[in-house]
Amino acid sequence: MSYVRDNRDAHYTDVNALPHKILLVEDSIALSMLLKQRLEGETSAEVIHCDTMKAAAALIAEHEFTLALTGLNLPDAPDGEILGLLSAARIPTIVFTATFDEQARKRYTEKKIIDYIIKDGHRTVDAVIKTVERIITNRLFSVLVVDDARSARSGLVEILERQNFRVIEALSGKQALDILQEDETIELVITDYHMPDMDGYQLTRKVREYRSSEDLRIIGVSSSTDRLLSASFLKAGASDFIYRPFVLEELQCRIDNNIETLKQLKRLRHLAERDHLTNLPNRRSFFEKTKLMMADLQKNNGKGALAILDIDHFKKINDTYGHDAGDRTLRNIAALLAESCETNKHLPARIGGEEFAIFLRGFDATQARAFCENLRHAVETAGVKLTGTEIAVTISLGVVEIEKGEPFDNQLNAADQLLYMAKSNGRNRVFADLDILSGFTELTKAH
């Protein structure tokens, strides 16, 4: 689409897996050592330190830096000349300084630094760590800027890209709606009020029909002198509002606050949906997601299957070696299960005690049974490695192909009944609806 401008890499899921190099330019040995230690310990970044502008220039020629941290008074650059070097190299820069006034603020704005931090004893290091973490994690977020005025839009895009966001542009409300329909990774929209096809107020109302504030934040902006406009935006569902011309620090703080809200909501959602021991989806999350996937499957005439598995003689592990051994077994089984499901994007979950469930996407009865048999064999082969004891663990599974028109509870009950059959017939085996249809006499002999 010609109206989309995307200057960032693809959406990442693990920011700590990305290679980050931070250039630290500071002539105070004590502060440098403390910052380096904290940054490398808390952000997984590599920090390369120097104490002069000349050394910084040499490092810039040799390395590609995610961002730079710098003081202003260096031995060979006492008047902040380092900012010119970093600006010319297009390295996002955070300044820490002992003094701050309007002249300094103007200077920072001209050099387009990311942020400035006032040196304030022990609080300085904490503030630096927090700011660096924010800049690194910003690249996880996609921001849509909606404005028909090119100059206004470009200025905002430049600010956001400097803050390390992935930025997409739209020239109108309709284009913004099209982009949001196609790109679900967008989590922040910044929209102007006055636009030719629909205003920002109307756009906000339309977006809120299908995206809640829990997964998409909207900031309205306008150069209007109407002070009631902010109230209208907020009542339409906007998360925030700011008037032009921007005070840069205010704009940055409002964006940061909305991104932080998204992060907190994600953390809460993760805690609510995950089993604390295995980190797999929990029972409630699995049931909710599976019902949606079944509805989609039936709507598109797709295939799917549902499996329930149980760890055989799990109580013996707990009784013999204690609950730590039992927990270790559950975690190892969950890891094996998650790895097995990853390729086909099946959905595994712990639904209680030693019982797990899997929604098998796109699999018919034959494929589902084969998958479960492979999983059973993998657990049997791993044996004592999964428990860390002398007891070799095995699993039993019941699996059914999704029957169109059948309620989810009925499908779950059918899989549970097949699991019961597997355990009643000797454990360490798979029972499927396929076996019931063809007769399972030979299966019981096989084990």
Side-chain angles (χ1 to χ4, degrees):
M1 295 182 291
S2 60
Y3 50 86
V4 177
R5 177 181 170 211
D6 183 355
N7 296 324
R8 295 287 172 186
D9 296 331
H11 205 65
Y12 290 95
T13 56
D14 183 6
V15 70
N16 287 326
L18 301 172
H20 297 294
K21 286 186 179 180
I22 297 174
L23 175 61
L24 173 59
V25 190
E26 170 60 43
D27 62 341
S28 166
I29 297 176
L31 179 58
S32 298
M33 290 181 63
L34 183 56
L35 281 170
K36 180 177 172 64
Q37 181 182 34
R38 287 280 305 274
L39 284 167
E40 290 186 336
E42 298 180 37
T43 69
S44 300
E46 178 187 357
V47 178
I48 301 177
H49 169 251
C50 66
D51 57 5
T52 65
M53 182 169 164
K54 181 180 180 180
L59 289 171
I60 290 170
E62 185 180 349
H63 301 275
E64 184 173 341
F65 291 101
T66 302
L67 57 90
L69 297 168
T70 184
L72 293 177
N73 307 119
L74 302 173
D76 59 346
D79 297 317
E81 295 90 344
I82 185 66
L83 295 182
L85 173 67
L86 295 170
S87 177
R90 301 180 66 83
I91 300 174
T93 301
I94 299 169
V95 170
F96 38 91
T97 177
T99 59
F100 179 78
D101 53 30
E102 186 55 36
Q103 184 177 359
R105 181 183 179 278
K106 182 179 179 182
R107 188 181 190 182
Y108 300 154
T109 302
E110 289 173 350
K111 297 298 182 183
K112 299 179 180 179
I113 68 164
I114 296 176
D115 207 348
Y116 54 84
I117 296 170
I118 310 299
K119 289 183 180 178
D120 185 18
H122 67 279
R123 293 180 56 194
T124 303
V125 175
D126 290 338
V128 170
I129 301 299
K130 185 177 180 180
T131 303
V132 170
E133 287 179 335
R134 170 172 61 81
I135 298 303
I136 289 176
T137 57
N138 276 354
R139 71 187 298 177
L140 296 176
F141 291 88
S142 300
V143 182
L144 176 62
V145 177
V146 191
D147 199 321
D148 62 311
R150 181 178 180 181
S151 59
R153 190 176 66 251
S154 298
L156 190 50
V157 167
E158 182 185 1
I159 292 169
L160 290 163
E161 288 184 339
R162 208 186 310 152
Q163 294 290 321
N164 210 25
F165 289 106
R166 172 180 178 256
V167 186
I168 303 167
E169 299 177 41
L171 281 63
S172 67
K174 182 179 183 305
Q175 290 179 340
L177 290 174
D178 290 342
I179 294 171
L180 288 170
Q181 290 285 355
E182 294 181 13
D183 189 350
E184 294 182 354
T185 68
I186 295 170
E187 295 178 277
L188 176 63
V189 174
I190 304 177
T191 178
D192 189 40
Y193 175 67
H194 292 290
M195 290 185 291
D197 55 346
M198 72 176 73
D199 59 38
Y201 170 85
Q202 294 170 318
L203 172 61
T204 299
R205 294 195 61 170
K206 286 183 178 294
V207 171
R208 284 292 177 242
E209 290 176 5
Y210 61 95
R211 294 285 298 272
S212 73
S213 60
E214 292 183 2
D215 66 352
L216 178 71
R217 310 294 288 179
I218 301 175
I219 301 177
V221 297
S222 178
S223 55
S224 171
T225 57
D226 182 2
R227 307 306 293 181
L228 292 176
L229 190 58
S230 59
S232 298
F233 254 99
L234 294 171
K235 289 180 73 66
S239 312
D240 209 340
F241 186 90
I242 185 168
Y243 285 96
R244 283 191 171 106
F246 301 130
V247 175
L248 188 59
E249 291 90 338
E250 180 187 6
L251 173 64
Q252 182 175 308
C253 285
R254 289 183 184 274
I255 292 171
D256 292 345
N257 288 341
N258 278 280
I259 293 296
E260 184 59 32
T261 297
L262 285 170
K263 291 178 185 176
Q264 295 292 348
L265 289 169
K266 284 182 177 181
R267 291 188 193 107
L268 291 172
R269 194 179 302 123
H270 179 84
L271 291 172
E273 294 179 350
R274 293 278 160 173
D275 172 62
H276 72 284
L277 180 65
T278 64
N279 203 35
L280 291 178
N282 58 24
R283 183 184 186 91
R284 187 189 70 176
S285 174
F286 179 77
F287 285 7
E288 289 176 353
K289 291 178 180 178
T290 299
K291 287 177 181 178
L292 291 174
M293 288 189 289
M294 284 180 60
D296 183 66
L297 178 151
Q298 301 203 24
K299 178 182 176 182
N300 297 298
N301 198 33
K303 295 181 296 184
L306 185 64
I308 298 181
L309 69 89
D310 189 88
I311 301 175
D312 298 326
H313 302 297
F314 181 72
K315 187 175 184 296
K316 185 178 179 181
I317 298 171
N318 275 334
D319 291 347
T320 306
Y321 294 99
H323 289 282
D324 285 346
D327 289 349
R328 180 168 59 248
T329 302
L330 290 168
R331 284 193 295 267
N332 289 337
I333 291 283
L336 182 62
L337 182 56
E339 184 180 355
S340 300
C341 291
E342 188 175 8
T343 302
N344 295 95
K345 297 184 178 179
H346 302 314
L347 177 65
R350 182 187 179 200
I351 58 175
E354 64 269 30
E355 198 168 60
F356 297 81
I358 318 167
F359 184 85
L360 298 156
R361 301 173 190 258
F363 275 17
D364 60 20
T366 303
Q367 293 170 309
R369 195 191 189 291
F371 174 90
C372 290
E373 178 58 31
N374 288 336
L375 181 61
R376 184 207 64 77
H377 179 70
V379 172
E380 183 182 39
T381 301
V384 295
K385 292 180 181 179
L386 295 173
T387 66
T389 72
E390 294 180 357
I391 299 176
V393 69
T394 60
I395 58 173
S396 300
L397 301 96
V399 56
V400 295
E401 183 175 4
I402 298 298
E403 187 175 337
K404 294 177 176 61
E406 265 313 300
F408 171 74
D409 291 345
N410 290 0
Q411 318 257 13
L412 190 69
N413 184 60
D416 199 44
Q417 290 298 315
L418 288 165
L419 171 63
Y420 176 78
M421 291 182 183
K423 295 185 82 69
S424 298
N425 283 272
R427 294 183 172 83
N428 189 24
R429 63 193 62 223
V430 178
F431 262 49
D433 48 359
L434 199 65
D435 303 324
I436 300 299
L437 294 173
S438 61
F440 52 81
T441 303
E442 293 186 9
L443 285 171
T444 57
K445 291 179 181 179
H447 288 274

